[in-house]
mmCIF file of all heavy atoms in Angstrom:
data_model
loop_
_atom_site.group_PDB
_atom_site.id
_atom_site.type_symbol
_atom_site.label_atom_id
_atom_site.label_comp_id
_atom_site.label_asym_id
_atom_site.label_seq_id
_atom_site.Cartn_x
_atom_site.Cartn_y
_atom_site.Cartn_z
ATOM 1 N N ALA A 217 162.370 142.730 161.857
ATOM 2 C CA ALA A 217 162.530 142.891 160.407
ATOM 3 C C ALA A 217 163.763 142.142 159.915
ATOM 4 O O ALA A 217 163.728 141.480 158.870
ATOM 5 C CB ALA A 217 162.605 144.367 160.047
ATOM 6 N N GLN A 218 164.871 142.227 160.657
ATOM 7 C CA GLN A 218 166.100 141.537 160.253
ATOM 8 C C GLN A 218 165.943 140.022 160.297
ATOM 9 O O GLN A 218 166.391 139.327 159.374
ATOM 10 C CB GLN A 218 167.245 141.963 161.177
ATOM 11 C CG GLN A 218 167.681 143.417 160.999
ATOM 12 C CD GLN A 218 168.638 143.868 162.085
ATOM 13 O OE1 GLN A 218 168.976 143.104 162.997
ATOM 14 N NE2 GLN A 218 169.074 145.123 162.010
ATOM 15 N N ILE A 219 165.298 139.522 161.343
ATOM 16 C CA ILE A 219 165.104 138.081 161.456
ATOM 17 C C ILE A 219 164.153 137.582 160.366
ATOM 18 O O ILE A 219 164.365 136.502 159.783
ATOM 19 C CB ILE A 219 164.585 137.715 162.858
ATOM 20 C CG1 ILE A 219 165.607 138.103 163.919
ATOM 21 C CG2 ILE A 219 164.285 136.220 162.966
ATOM 22 C CD1 ILE A 219 165.128 137.911 165.366
ATOM 23 N N ASN A 220 163.131 138.369 160.057
ATOM 24 C CA ASN A 220 162.230 138.018 158.954
ATOM 25 C C ASN A 220 162.974 137.928 157.633
ATOM 26 O O ASN A 220 162.754 137.003 156.839
ATOM 27 C CB ASN A 220 161.112 139.071 158.848
ATOM 28 C CG ASN A 220 159.774 138.532 159.341
ATOM 29 O OD1 ASN A 220 159.435 137.369 159.109
ATOM 30 N ND2 ASN A 220 159.015 139.399 159.992
ATOM 31 N N GLN A 221 163.838 138.896 157.388
ATOM 32 C CA GLN A 221 164.606 138.895 156.143
ATOM 33 C C GLN A 221 165.545 137.694 156.074
ATOM 34 O O GLN A 221 165.683 137.046 155.037
ATOM 35 C CB GLN A 221 165.420 140.193 156.020
ATOM 36 C CG GLN A 221 166.254 140.317 154.767
ATOM 37 C CD GLN A 221 165.411 140.287 153.498
ATOM 38 O OE1 GLN A 221 164.262 140.725 153.503
ATOM 39 N NE2 GLN A 221 165.993 139.778 152.428
ATOM 40 N N LYS A 222 166.190 137.370 157.188
ATOM 41 C CA LYS A 222 167.061 136.214 157.233
ATOM 42 C C LYS A 222 166.285 134.937 156.979
ATOM 43 O O LYS A 222 166.759 134.021 156.278
ATOM 44 C CB LYS A 222 167.782 136.139 158.562
ATOM 45 C CG LYS A 222 168.662 134.921 158.775
ATOM 46 C CD LYS A 222 169.763 134.809 157.729
ATOM 47 C CE LYS A 222 170.857 135.801 157.961
ATOM 48 N NZ LYS A 222 172.055 135.553 157.092
ATOM 49 N N GLN A 223 165.061 134.832 157.496
ATOM 50 C CA GLN A 223 164.251 133.637 157.300
ATOM 51 C C GLN A 223 163.941 133.448 155.818
ATOM 52 O O GLN A 223 163.964 132.309 155.306
ATOM 53 C CB GLN A 223 162.953 133.769 158.110
ATOM 54 C CG GLN A 223 162.153 132.463 158.230
ATOM 55 C CD GLN A 223 162.790 131.468 159.174
ATOM 56 O OE1 GLN A 223 163.955 131.579 159.528
ATOM 57 N NE2 GLN A 223 162.032 130.485 159.600
ATOM 58 N N LYS A 224 163.652 134.518 155.114
ATOM 59 C CA LYS A 224 163.398 134.425 153.672
ATOM 60 C C LYS A 224 164.649 133.918 152.944
ATOM 61 O O LYS A 224 164.546 133.081 152.050
ATOM 62 C CB LYS A 224 162.969 135.788 153.129
ATOM 63 C CG LYS A 224 161.616 136.243 153.619
ATOM 64 C CD LYS A 224 161.284 137.642 153.098
ATOM 65 C CE LYS A 224 159.927 138.118 153.621
ATOM 66 N NZ LYS A 224 159.615 139.498 153.157
ATOM 67 N N GLN A 225 165.812 134.439 153.321
ATOM 68 C CA GLN A 225 167.053 134.020 152.679
ATOM 69 C C GLN A 225 167.334 132.545 152.930
ATOM 70 O O GLN A 225 167.724 131.804 152.022
ATOM 71 C CB GLN A 225 168.225 134.857 153.181
ATOM 72 C CG GLN A 225 168.151 136.331 152.804
ATOM 73 C CD GLN A 225 169.251 137.138 153.461
ATOM 74 O OE1 GLN A 225 170.026 136.632 154.276
ATOM 75 N NE2 GLN A 225 169.337 138.423 153.114
ATOM 76 N N LEU A 226 167.146 132.125 154.172
ATOM 77 C CA LEU A 226 167.406 130.721 154.519
ATOM 78 C C LEU A 226 166.474 129.785 153.775
ATOM 79 O O LEU A 226 166.905 128.743 153.264
ATOM 80 C CB LEU A 226 167.256 130.538 156.035
ATOM 81 C CG LEU A 226 168.290 131.241 156.928
ATOM 82 C CD1 LEU A 226 167.860 131.144 158.394
ATOM 83 C CD2 LEU A 226 169.672 130.640 156.742
ATOM 84 N N LYS A 227 165.197 130.124 153.719
ATOM 85 C CA LYS A 227 164.232 129.259 153.041
ATOM 86 C C LYS A 227 164.487 129.201 151.535
ATOM 87 O O LYS A 227 164.336 128.141 150.908
ATOM 88 C CB LYS A 227 162.806 129.732 153.338
ATOM 89 C CG LYS A 227 162.324 129.418 154.750
ATOM 90 C CD LYS A 227 160.851 129.709 154.923
ATOM 91 C CE LYS A 227 160.351 129.220 156.261
ATOM 92 N NZ LYS A 227 158.895 129.426 156.433
ATOM 93 N N GLU A 228 164.855 130.320 150.946
ATOM 94 C CA GLU A 228 165.154 130.327 149.530
ATOM 95 C C GLU A 228 166.377 129.474 149.228
ATOM 96 O O GLU A 228 166.413 128.722 148.232
ATOM 97 C CB GLU A 228 165.397 131.776 149.057
ATOM 98 C CG GLU A 228 165.649 131.902 147.568
ATOM 99 C CD GLU A 228 164.506 131.416 146.706
ATOM 100 O OE1 GLU A 228 163.324 131.565 147.114
ATOM 101 O OE2 GLU A 228 164.767 130.867 145.601
ATOM 102 N N MET A 229 167.372 129.541 150.092
ATOM 103 C CA MET A 229 168.568 128.722 149.904
ATOM 104 C C MET A 229 168.236 127.246 150.066
ATOM 105 O O MET A 229 168.731 126.392 149.324
ATOM 106 C CB MET A 229 169.653 129.143 150.909
ATOM 107 C CG MET A 229 170.952 128.359 150.794
ATOM 108 S SD MET A 229 171.649 128.413 149.139
ATOM 109 C CE MET A 229 171.959 130.176 148.961
#
Side-chain angles (χ1 to χ4, degrees):
Q218 291 170 359
I219 298 174
N220 253 322
Q221 180 61 30
K222 176 60 74 170
Q223 193 74 344
K224 292 177 182 178
Q225 294 174 355
L226 293 170
K227 286 189 172 183
E228 182 60 35
M229 181 55 63

